[in-house]
Amino acid sequence: MSLSQITRKFVLICFFVLLWYIISSFYFEQEELLSDKNEETLTGVHLTSNTNKTIITDDDNNKNQLEELNKKYCGKPICKFLFVYLIGEQETKANLHFRSFSQLAEKLNRIMVLPNVGSSRIGTCNEFPFDFYYNITLLQKEFPNVLFKSENDFIFWLKERDQIKKMMNNNNNKNIPPLSILHSSIKRSRNTEKTFYDDAETNFDVYNCISKFKPLMNLEDPTNSRVKYTKMIIRTTDMRSEIARVKLSELLTKVLTIDEEILLVNGKVVDPLFPQTMPVIPYSDYILNEAQKIKDKLSSSYMGIHWRLESSTPKLLPECVQGLIKTLNKIKEEEGIKNIYLATDYPLLSSRSQSSTFKKITNYHHDAIRTLNETFKINTWVSLGGLEQLRENKKYNKELNGSGIQGILDKLVCVNSNYFISGPKGCSRIASSFTKTIADERSNRIENKDSDLLNVIDRWEIP
């Protein structure tokens, strides 16, 4: 065999060996890539990636829905409320106490829920919204750092939160817990040796009107609301001076700085809680306009009288009315004022008094008012057509036949009177917050020299 033939054969053999090697290597790599082990690994990574993606998306959506609700309603991802659902005392003092709790809301950085009003009270049991008595826009200006929401707004938040919670729970993602609530009673007491704050029994202060928020807020259902109960009993002397109230307000702010979403308070405190006393909550434009109409009808000048007959001694009333007549005649002669406006708890629209606590009306009371009417033309909010639109609607009958919106109207008319008088001891109540509020406002106006008021307050004498 020649050399050329041998060389050709060797080249062919090398070629086929190389070809076999290439084909074998390719087959082996494909088999390895398609093996069960690698297929499981790739599939596992793929499934894990999808599972994680699904969970994150659902949680974020649910979480974002709740946060978006809170941001829309509260301006923050978490809502915290102060809801003082009961404020003791009638409107004049309740007005003062509401201001104290608004100061507390500011210190605690909580939204202040505006309770309903009616029958000269502030509290959730009443029939009318807060703005029936008060101007919320001006209230907000007095407390620029406090966000105020109505009861209806609060119910809206509860309802929306409940819907989000149900949706999440239906998806087996129980990520929204029950409402967290601290239910506290804050009361002043003459019988305690010191102010204290402590846990309370679950039924410490049954107040049935809270039930109107069920089923959205149910204090008896642990799946709906996780409730803790506390009480603060305040020693009377800890509220009487500005220095004492500094310490009290610091204690109150400290113990009520909590994480719970809702701070429910039953408040009967009588005196201010903070050293600074804020101005009177501004009244609604409707009541202010009614007061102006009455002032216009009384012409250029008038005398205002506040006579709370409930606090009088009935047998003294014949002498009381004679003393009032004598004083009115003297003012007419000296000041030239002829018109007279009477603010009173005596019955004006029905046989019932204008005060829910004034029940024993005697002939002495009837005779005193009759004598006054026979001597002068006496004007009242009824005779001058005050609150006429409300009087045409039966919805307001109970309000107008008791102590309610007309008490605020009386207060405003007396504040604007050129001359203001009230009764002496035995004829009227001396320590009246209603009378004091009128006198304080008149004093401020006279000090500022922005009115034509002739006095702050005078009391007539018994002859």
Side-chain angles (χ1 to χ4, degrees):
M1 183 180 293
S2 65
L3 181 61
S4 62
Q5 288 177 329
I6 293 172
T7 302
R8 189 182 301 114
K9 187 174 180 179
F10 177 77
V11 170
L12 286 172
I13 291 171
C14 290
F15 171 78
F16 282 113
V17 170
L18 180 62
L19 181 63
W20 174 84
Y21 176 80
I22 293 171
I23 293 171
S24 297
S25 297
F26 177 78
Y27 178 78
F28 177 78
E29 287 176 2
Q30 292 299 310
E31 189 175 47
E32 186 175 58
L33 286 171
L34 296 174
S35 69
D36 289 343
K37 180 180 178 181
N38 282 289
E39 185 176 9
E40 286 178 1
T41 302
L42 290 170
T43 304
V45 171
H46 178 71
L47 289 176
T48 302
S49 175
N50 281 347
T51 302
N52 286 339
K53 184 176 180 181
T54 302
I55 291 174
I56 292 171
T57 301
D58 285 349
D59 283 352
D60 276 354
N61 285 340
N62 290 328
K63 183 179 179 181
N64 287 342
Q65 287 185 48
L66 181 59
E67 286 190 357
E68 287 304 314
L69 168 67
N70 291 339
K71 287 177 182 177
K72 179 176 71 173
Y73 187 86
C74 312
K76 299 178 182 179
I78 299 175
C79 286
K80 288 189 175 183
F81 301 93
L82 171 59
F83 187 2
V84 188
Y85 62 86
L86 175 65
I87 298 178
E89 302 289 341
Q90 293 193 12
E91 194 279 326
T92 301
K93 284 189 176 180
N95 189 307
L96 172 66
H97 304 331
F98 183 85
R99 287 174 261 155
S100 283
F101 284 114
S102 295
Q103 289 172 285
L104 179 61
E106 182 174 6
K107 291 291 185 181
L108 299 176
N109 194 24
R110 284 182 173 268
I111 292 173
M112 184 74 173
V113 179
L114 299 171
N116 283 355
V117 298
S119 300
S120 192
R121 304 279 178 172
I122 301 175
T124 192
C125 271
N126 296 301
E127 184 177 357
F128 307 107
F130 193 82
D131 60 3
F132 183 61
Y133 282 1
Y134 304 109
N135 187 318
I136 299 175
T137 302
L138 295 180
L139 171 65
Q140 186 68 75
K141 289 182 178 180
E142 285 190 7
F143 294 93
N145 299 321
V146 180
L147 183 60
F148 294 96
K149 295 289 184 178
S150 68
E151 282 196 9
N152 283 340
D153 291 332
F154 180 62
I155 291 171
F156 164 79
W157 179 81
L158 289 172
K159 187 178 295 184
E160 292 292 309
R161 185 188 187 280
D162 188 63
Q163 289 176 356
I164 294 172
K165 179 180 177 182
K166 286 179 179 177
M167 179 190 69
M168 292 181 67
N169 288 350
N170 287 339
N171 292 332
N172 296 318
N173 295 320
K174 298 182 179 180
N175 294 327
I176 298 185
L179 289 165
S180 55
I181 300 173
L182 177 66
H183 191 185
S184 190
S185 174
I186 302 175
K187 295 182 179 179
R188 190 194 75 168
S189 174
R190 299 178 184 274
N191 302 319
T192 186
E193 294 182 358
K194 64 178 181 178
T195 296
F196 69 92
Y197 178 76
D198 202 354
D199 292 338
E201 298 295 327
T202 56
N203 60 347
F204 73 93
D205 224 341
V206 177
Y207 197 66
N208 293 330
C209 290
I210 294 181
S211 64
K212 74 180 182 180
F213 297 103
K214 292 180 180 179
L216 302 172
M217 185 176 73
N218 187 343
L219 305 188
E220 290 80 34
D221 180 4
T223 64
N224 173 271
S225 302
R226 186 178 67 248
V227 189
K228 180 182 178 182
Y229 293 87
T230 65
K231 61 184 175 182
M232 174 174 272
I233 306 300
I234 303 172
R235 184 176 61 176
T236 300
T237 53
D238 289 340
M239 307 183 78
R240 287 294 169 84
S241 69
E242 288 190 17
I243 296 175
R245 291 200 296 271
V246 168
K247 293 182 179 179
L248 171 63
S249 60
E250 289 174 351
L251 173 63
L252 192 63
T253 303
K254 179 180 178 180
V255 299
L256 293 179
T257 299
I258 54 174
D259 292 329
E260 277 78 1
E261 294 168 283
I262 302 170
L263 172 54
L264 278 177
V265 173
N266 183 330
K268 297 180 181 177
V269 293
V270 184
D271 296 304
L273 294 170
F274 287 80
Q276 180 186 10
T277 302
M278 300 298 290
V280 173
I281 302 173
Y283 295 109
S284 71
D285 288 343
Y286 174 73
I287 306 176
L288 293 175
N289 291 336
E290 290 296 299
Q292 185 61 48
K293 288 178 185 176
I294 288 177
K295 182 179 179 181
D296 293 342
K297 289 180 179 179
L298 289 169
S299 189
S300 58
S301 61
Y302 63 97
M303 292 177 271
I305 309 168
H306 178 222
W307 195 0
R308 186 168 177 175
L309 287 164
E310 179 184 3
S311 302
S312 65
T313 303
K315 291 183 179 180
L316 272 180
L317 286 175
E319 298 173 58
C320 291
V321 72
Q322 292 302 322
L324 174 56
I325 290 171
K326 182 178 178 180
T327 300
L328 292 174
N329 278 324
K330 182 181 178 182
I331 296 170
K332 283 180 67 176
E333 182 179 343
E334 293 179 354
E335 305 295 344
I337 303 174
K338 297 180 180 179
N339 294 313
I340 300 170
Y341 182 86
L342 175 66
T344 181
D345 54 358
Y346 184 80
L348 297 177
L349 282 178
S350 67
S351 59
R352 294 174 52 193
S353 75
Q354 294 293 134
S355 170
S356 58
T357 57
F358 184 16
K359 300 184 184 300
K360 296 181 180 179
I361 304 175
T362 68
N363 286 332
Y364 289 109
H365 298 101
H366 294 310
D367 290 343
I369 295 297
R370 186 182 302 112
T371 300
L372 186 61
N373 273 315
E374 288 173 350
T375 308
F376 303 104
K377 180 183 178 182
I378 301 297
N379 299 287
T380 66
W381 68 273
V382 174
S383 67
L384 294 173
L387 307 171
E388 191 171 3
Q389 288 183 324
L390 300 185
R391 288 159 67 182
E392 292 173 354
N393 190 333
K394 292 181 180 180
K395 175 183 177 181
Y396 302 103
N397 282 355
K398 180 181 177 182
E399 176 77 6
L400 296 173
N401 279 284
S403 53
I405 192 171
Q406 74 282 355
I408 299 173
L409 180 60
D410 274 342
K411 195 186 307 181
L412 293 172
V413 175
C414 286
V415 164
N416 291 326
S417 63
N418 300 85
Y419 210 100
F420 178 60
I421 59 176
S422 189
K425 185 177 180 180
C427 300
S428 186
R429 184 174 183 177
I430 298 296
S432 166
S433 56
F434 184 95
T435 308
K436 184 179 183 302
T437 300
I438 295 171
D440 288 345
E441 178 61 25
R442 290 174 64 83
S443 177
N444 291 336
R445 292 191 184 186
I446 290 173
E447 261 185 48
N448 295 329
K449 299 179 180 179
D450 60 353
S451 67
D452 53 357
L453 307 187
L454 299 174
N455 76 330
V456 173
I457 180 173
D458 286 351
R459 295 190 180 273
W460 72 81
E461 298 178 355
I462 300 175

